[in-house]
Amino acid sequence: MAELDETGSKLTLKLVYYGPAMSGKTTNLMRLHDILAPDLKGEIMTLETQNDRTLFFDLLPLGFRTPSGWLVKFKLYTVPGQVVHDATRKAVLSRADGVVFVADSQRSQGINNSESFQNLEDNARRVGLDFGALPIVVQFNKRDLPDVLSEDEIRERWAAAPWPLVMASALTGTGVRETFVKLLEAVYPALDRNFSLSEKHGTDAKAFINAVTGDRIGNSG
Amino acid sequence: MEILARGYDSTLSLRELLSGISPDKLSAALAILLDAPARVVSADGAWVMNDTHPLPENACRLPLVHDLETAGYLETAAADEAQVRAAANLLELFMQSGARYFMASEMHIEVVKADYEELQRRHAALMASEARYKALAENLEERVKEQVNTIESAHRKLYQAEKLASIGQLAAGVAHEINNPIGFIRSNLGTAQSYVQKFRSMAGQIKSSGNAALAGAWQAADLDFVLEDFPSLLQESVEGADRVARIVSDLKGFSNVDQAEEEVVDLNDCIRSACNVAANQINSRAELKLMLGELPPLRCKVGHLSQVFLNLLLNAAQAMEKRGEIRIQSSIENDQIVIRFSDTGCGIPAEVLPRIFDPFFTTRDVGSGTGLGLTVSRDIITDHGGSIEASSEPNTGTTFIIHLPINRRSP
């Protein structure tokens, strides 16, 4: 859960990009690093093996200051998708405030997607997260590839699920920002409830999202 | 030894971020690059690297940013802003590299620990399962023996039941077939007795008729003796026929040929009436003591149960070698009616005891018992959902205990 530091002026949020191996979680983070222009943006830290597979995680820090002077920090993590790294996934997922599930749209990846989503649900329970209340956005990535499930097929399959669906192509940047914004929208209500962001810190949902994405407040419409 | 993990995402101080780098060498390198003394100070001023040279008043101060926040400052007397900026950037790269190392190692520790715990958990589960199989293997022989015993006992019971059923069928058939002829034999014998009386009344007339030839023939045929012997012959035959009739009636009881009606009764009344019936045979041999506790009314086949009580009473009476005591107790124990028949008779030898309920098993002289009394008794008690057991001490006495469930079915 979001952490308020001991001085009471710094709020740290953890957002996790989850999904099967090679579905484009790291690519999402890299595009976000390029696209977003918040007040504060750190360098991407990647911990990968020789062949560009994520070993532990990637980390992108973002942040902004509220009109009241609070520092709100976002730590965007990816998990390693390979099945063997389950302990790492569990460690990264613990205390997450929101999750983007990056699915691979290719027809051949259906089983990997569902196994990974099941794994997300299992691990969420293991680390003590309330899966029903956890803000989740499901992104279907790699729309640019041939032989992918059609958007209609995907929407039909996920019709019963409560989470927003976003079609994306992280490689070209399509849908990456929309996914992130959808997640911020899902995360904001709990934050506002716990820390009165709107009332005490002059940061309503729109200002919150604009501040993280880098759109000037009042200038996004 | 346990490694304490701080958590890969904990906040790091400047000192921790630069912990992998020798302060002396870094300070020396900075001094040469900047062409002036320089030092690195943590954000809260608590930690200073290279505190040896006091810096002049006009020293400049650049923030060193890590993870979006100022972790410390580079302080130097150097004047070239580009050079100082480059040095600060260099330091930030070091810090980033230090953080990367720290996070990777912390994550490594966490993962290793989780994997180790998982291994231990599986190991414990395996050990438990191994112990279970070991215990199973050790008990296997015993359990097989137990199973074999159970099966054998079930087999014996089944065999016994089959045997009883076929004996019952046979007995029913025999009883039915004998019943009619024994009926008219008994009846004819009675008629024959009256006929003999008539012959007898004729004897005086013939002898006193004065007809010498007739008297001679009478003498020659020894008809006096015949008339003397005939009634006793017939009497013995009558008794024999009566005995056959009794055996047939026992057989019918054994085969349940005549199903009795059920009634709701107080079993104590049943016991008392059985005592009355048997009074003649008992009084000469034993003192009868009734200790009857209050019993709830029971729905049962009264005739059958009375027969059981009578059987047990007569057995007890016959067991008396000298005058003794027969005691009947009735009570309620654990929601069951319990009736005890105790006698101070000769007792039953241990080797005989297990067979006393077997059909046609008798220790009495041939002809004086059918060997069905206790078999029939047990079948009747079983039919009522109860049980009957015997315990005996030779020369001391025998006790039969009957258990009958109260709520066998609602009245």
Side-chain angles (χ1 to χ4, degrees):
Chain A
M1 273 283 93
E3 269 177 73
L4 194 61
D5 81 335
E6 52 277 7
T7 65
S9 61
K10 184 171 81 182
L11 190 62
T12 307
L13 299 173
K14 185 190 216 178
L15 304 175
V16 176
Y17 278 67
Y18 211 96
M22 305 290 284
S23 66
K25 300 175 288 294
T26 304
T27 312
N28 258 278
L29 234 57
M30 288 173 159
R31 284 298 154 272
L32 281 177
H33 180 257
D34 299 344
I35 298 167
L36 302 180
D39 296 353
L40 302 162
K41 179 163 79 173
E43 287 304 312
I44 270 196
M45 180 190 286
T46 56
L47 296 167
E48 78 259 347
T49 53
Q50 238 86 36
N51 46 3
D52 282 356
R53 307 294 294 271
T54 302
L55 175 59
F56 288 140
F57 53 79
D58 307 309
L59 169 60
L60 171 62
L62 302 169
F64 70 90
R65 286 198 179 274
T66 64
S68 63
W70 268 22
L71 172 61
V72 180
K73 273 167 80 171
F74 295 82
K75 292 190 170 182
L76 275 56
Y77 285 94
T78 64
V79 298
Q82 287 159 287
V83 176
V84 293
H85 294 312
D86 199 44
T88 314
R89 270 195 298 280
K90 219 166 75 181
V92 173
L93 188 63
S94 81
R95 299 194 304 280
D97 294 287
V99 171
V100 170
F101 182 80
V102 182
D104 192 326
S105 297
Q106 295 177 93
R107 287 188 180 277
S108 56
Q109 297 300 310
I111 291 173
N112 288 343
N113 287 337
S114 58
E115 279 178 355
S116 177
F117 196 83
Q118 185 60 49
N119 178 254
L120 166 63
E121 189 176 347
D122 293 345
N123 277 339
R125 198 174 306 113
R126 285 190 200 122
V127 300
L129 290 173
D130 178 359
F131 190 72
L134 182 66
I136 295 176
V137 174
V138 177
Q139 178 193 77
F140 269 82
N141 194 16
K142 307 199 185 179
R143 302 305 301 163
D144 50 322
L145 289 187
D147 201 25
V148 294
L149 291 165
S150 76
E151 189 170 338
D152 287 345
E153 280 175 286
I154 293 169
R155 292 207 180 274
E156 195 189 318
R157 283 186 198 183
W158 287 74
W163 310 289
L165 285 177
V166 181
M167 302 298 138
S169 171
L171 212 55
T172 62
T174 317
V176 169
R177 177 200 188 91
E178 189 192 349
T179 305
F180 185 58
V181 168
K182 282 254 188 317
L183 184 65
L184 292 175
E185 283 170 356
V187 166
Y188 181 81
L191 286 178
D192 191 35
R193 247 193 331 275
N194 292 333
F195 303 103
S196 312
L197 285 184
S198 174
E199 214 172 286
K200 290 189 186 164
H201 302 282
T203 308
D204 61 11
K206 195 173 173 188
F208 177 79
I209 291 163
N210 285 343
V212 190
T213 55
D215 294 330
R216 288 278 66 83
I217 295 171
N219 192 23
S220 61
Chain B
M1 202 189 82
E2 191 167 0
I3 304 164
L4 284 174
R6 269 181 62 190
Y8 63 92
D9 53 355
S10 47
T11 310
L12 299 172
S13 68
L14 180 65
R15 185 178 191 167
E16 284 167 324
L17 290 169
L18 293 176
S19 63
I21 297 163
S22 153
D24 293 345
K25 286 185 180 169
L26 183 58
S27 301
L30 280 175
I32 291 167
L33 287 173
L34 292 168
D35 203 14
R39 64 176 196 172
V40 175
V41 184
S42 69
D44 56 5
W47 181 73
V48 181
M49 190 183 85
N50 189 22
D51 206 8
T52 47
H53 308 287
L55 288 170
E57 285 292 311
N58 62 347
C60 73
R61 180 175 156 98
L62 244 74
L64 299 171
V65 175
H66 171 71
D67 194 19
L68 311 181
E69 289 176 87
T70 302
Y73 299 96
L74 169 65
E75 293 179 343
T76 175
D80 188 330
E81 203 178 309
Q83 268 186 338
V84 176
R85 184 68 257 163
N89 285 345
L90 205 56
L91 281 170
E92 282 179 356
L93 286 177
F94 283 147
M95 287 156 64
Q96 176 83 350
S97 164
R100 193 165 179 262
Y101 173 80
F102 176 86
M103 293 182 91
S105 62
E106 286 295 324
M107 178 57 89
H108 176 71
I109 289 168
E110 245 176 80
V111 166
V112 165
K113 219 169 154 184
D115 286 346
Y116 182 66
E117 275 163 15
E118 175 68 12
L119 267 181
Q120 274 189 321
R121 201 184 56 71
R122 287 192 189 178
H123 179 67
L126 271 178
M127 293 286 278
S129 134
E130 193 195 337
R132 220 167 35 241
Y133 279 112
K134 226 168 160 181
L136 187 67
E138 275 166 12
N139 294 337
L140 194 58
E141 206 165 320
E142 205 151 306
R143 290 181 61 165
V144 166
K145 226 181 259 174
E146 244 170 59
Q147 284 292 314
V148 168
N149 279 345
T150 310
I151 291 168
E152 273 183 357
S153 140
H155 196 238
R156 261 201 312 277
K157 271 184 197 154
L158 190 66
Y159 173 72
Q160 186 73 2
E162 291 274 343
K163 202 167 75 176
L164 281 179
S166 54
I167 290 171
Q169 254 171 356
L170 179 68
V174 170
H176 184 74
E177 290 307 320
I178 290 178
N179 222 17
N180 277 337
I182 208 68
F184 64 74
I185 287 172
R186 176 66 180 78
S187 161
N188 290 352
L189 283 173
T191 313
Q193 278 176 319
S194 69
Y195 290 169
V196 171
Q197 284 306 317
K198 282 181 180 162
F199 279 125
R200 220 183 172 132
S201 66
M202 288 299 292
Q205 287 183 38
I206 288 171
K207 277 196 263 184
S208 60
S209 66
N211 188 329
L214 206 55
W218 185 275
Q219 281 295 325
D222 200 6
L223 285 183
D224 277 332
F225 174 77
V226 169
L227 280 179
E228 188 75 22
D229 198 33
F230 211 168
S232 59
L233 282 183
L234 287 177
Q235 186 53 40
E236 280 173 22
S237 300
V238 165
E239 280 168 15
D242 282 347
R243 208 156 78 205
V244 171
R246 207 169 56 240
I247 292 172
V248 166
S249 140
D250 274 359
L251 278 173
K252 278 167 97 179
F254 172 61
S255 56
N256 273 334
V257 171
D258 43 358
Q259 285 286 347
E261 287 296 311
E262 292 200 338
E263 285 175 57
V264 178
V265 293
D266 181 350
L267 281 189
N268 285 336
D269 294 339
C270 262
I271 293 171
R272 280 189 205 98
S273 68
C275 291
N276 290 338
V277 172
N280 250 346
Q281 276 132 304
I282 294 169
N283 288 342
S284 57
R285 294 163 174 266
E287 200 76 43
L288 191 59
K289 283 198 175 166
L290 297 184
M291 299 150 87
L292 305 178
E294 199 167 315
L295 298 180
L298 183 75
R299 174 173 282 273
C300 61
K301 293 174 179 168
V302 188
H304 284 181
L305 286 182
S306 296
Q307 195 192 334
V308 173
F309 301 149
L310 193 60
N311 280 344
L312 293 178
L313 270 172
L314 293 178
N315 278 349
Q318 281 168 21
M320 295 298 166
E321 284 165 333
K322 54 182 193 292
R323 199 173 165 75
E325 188 180 282
I326 298 172
R327 185 181 296 197
I328 307 176
Q329 288 170 280
S330 63
S331 59
I332 298 286
E333 290 170 23
N334 299 328
D335 275 341
Q336 287 194 317
I337 294 175
V338 179
I339 304 169
R340 287 186 175 79
F341 286 77
S342 309
D343 65 60
T344 57
C346 60
I348 303 169
E351 67 271 19
V352 171
L353 198 58
R355 301 184 57 198
I356 56 171
F357 293 109
D358 287 357
F360 304 111
F361 177 80
T362 180
T363 54
R364 302 214 184 99
D365 296 335
V366 175
S368 65
T370 55
L372 284 174
L374 286 176
T375 313
V376 172
S377 299
R378 187 194 52 191
D379 288 353
I380 290 169
I381 298 297
T382 310
D383 185 40
H384 284 79
S387 65
I388 178 167
E389 292 148 32
S391 60
S392 185
E393 195 70 41
N395 302 322
T396 309
T398 304
T399 302
F400 282 88
I401 304 176
I402 297 171
H403 288 267
L404 286 171
I406 296 173
N407 302 317
R408 187 161 59 99
R409 59 189 95 135
S410 52

